[in-house]
């Protein structure tokens, strides 16, 4: 087993890992919990664990370690709670050129969409949001979550099926 010339324990390497992965780790947890402050705390704790275990972790496995550590930290916090994610409101620009009926219909649709996404299982919601919001591919999602691409496809299929059933023409 060859030793990587770069070590996670090197401050510049660790800083680069933080810059490269902190946002996606935070989003990964945010999609699970719906609380940006909690997601930020968990992301920081995952990086602290990476730093504390830097001698044991090779650079090529650091990203996987961060995802696993952040997921485990989240699961520890919500051990006996049911997690529901409130889909964050999309920013609406002033749309004076649209009719009041259209604006009302749009608001009703957004509420319906938010409720539909919140009703997905945690696994379905996570895959759906990672793919549709973060624009991650199925391969990237599978790697992040430590599951097969087929499992990602199945979760996405079930999520879309459930969303279509709840909201027509999605």
């Amino acid at each position: 087993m060859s030793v990587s010339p770069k070590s996670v324990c090197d401050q510049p390497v660790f800083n680069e890992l933080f810059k490269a992965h902190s946002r996606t780790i935070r989003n990964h947890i945010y999609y699970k919990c719906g609380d940006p402050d909690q997601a930020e705390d968990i992301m920081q704790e995952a990086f602290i664990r990476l730093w504390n275990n830097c001698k044991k972790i090779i650079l090529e496995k650091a990203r996987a370690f961060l995802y696993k550590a952040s997921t485990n930290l989240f699961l520890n916090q919500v051990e006996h709670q049911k997690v529901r994610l409130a889909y964050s409101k999309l920013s609406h620009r002033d749309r004076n050129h649209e009719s009041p009926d259209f604006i009302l219909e749009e608001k009703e649709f957004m509420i319906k969409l938010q409720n539909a996404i919140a009703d997905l299982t945690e696994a379905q919601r996570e895959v759906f949001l990672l793919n549709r919001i973060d624009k991650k591919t199925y391969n990237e999602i599978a790697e992040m979550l430590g599951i097969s691409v087929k499992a990602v496809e199945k979760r996405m299929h079930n999520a879309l099926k459930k969303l279509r059933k709840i909201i027509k023409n999605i």
Side-chain angles (χ1 to χ4, degrees):
M1 183 173 186
S2 65
V3 176
S4 177
K6 292 183 177 182
S7 169
V8 177
C9 294
D10 294 336
Q11 188 69 40
V13 173
F14 184 82
N15 289 344
E16 190 61 35
L17 280 169
F18 184 84
K19 287 177 189 173
H21 301 297
S22 62
R23 182 172 172 249
T24 57
I25 297 290
R26 183 178 52 246
N27 286 347
H28 169 71
I29 296 301
Y30 174 71
Y31 293 152
K32 287 180 171 277
C33 69
D35 182 352
D37 294 330
Q38 181 183 13
E40 183 75 21
D41 290 344
I42 290 172
M43 178 269 301
Q44 289 178 6
E45 183 64 31
F47 275 96
I48 290 170
R49 286 191 179 186
L50 176 65
W51 181 254
N52 289 339
N53 293 294
C54 67
K55 291 180 182 174
K56 300 175 191 171
I57 299 160
I58 61 173
L59 182 60
E60 292 77 18
K61 299 289 184 181
R63 179 176 172 215
F65 176 87
L66 288 168
Y67 277 102
K68 189 68 170 172
S70 63
T71 299
N72 288 341
L73 287 164
F74 169 72
L75 292 174
N76 289 341
Q77 288 186 3
V78 295
E79 210 167 304
H80 296 293
Q81 298 175 7
K82 182 177 179 185
V83 177
R84 291 182 56 100
L85 175 63
Y87 185 75
S88 62
K89 294 181 180 178
L90 298 176
S91 62
H92 295 285
R93 292 179 257 140
D94 290 332
R95 297 181 182 144
N96 295 335
H97 61 280
E98 295 170 348
S99 72
D101 288 338
F102 178 81
I103 294 171
L104 180 62
E105 287 176 20
E106 183 182 36
K107 285 181 183 178
E108 288 172 356
F109 179 80
M110 288 308 300
I111 290 169
K112 203 173 183 183
L113 179 61
Q114 290 170 1
N115 291 334
I117 291 173
D119 285 340
L120 294 173
T121 66
E122 180 184 328
Q124 291 171 346
R125 182 177 52 245
E126 184 177 23
V127 168
F128 177 80
L129 292 174
L130 283 169
N131 180 255
R132 301 302 166 125
I133 303 300
D134 272 0
K135 306 292 186 213
K136 300 286 184 194
T137 66
Y138 287 0
N139 287 336
E140 291 171 328
I141 295 169
E143 183 182 328
M144 286 169 45
L145 302 180
I147 59 176
S148 71
V149 175
K150 281 289 185 191
V152 173
E153 290 171 357
K154 181 72 171 174
R155 289 178 184 183
M156 181 59 93
H157 171 75
N158 289 337
L160 291 173
K161 193 166 128 181
K162 189 171 184 179
L163 289 173
R164 283 187 192 111
K165 189 176 190 181
I166 296 171
I167 302 172
K168 304 295 182 216
N169 301 324
I170 191 164

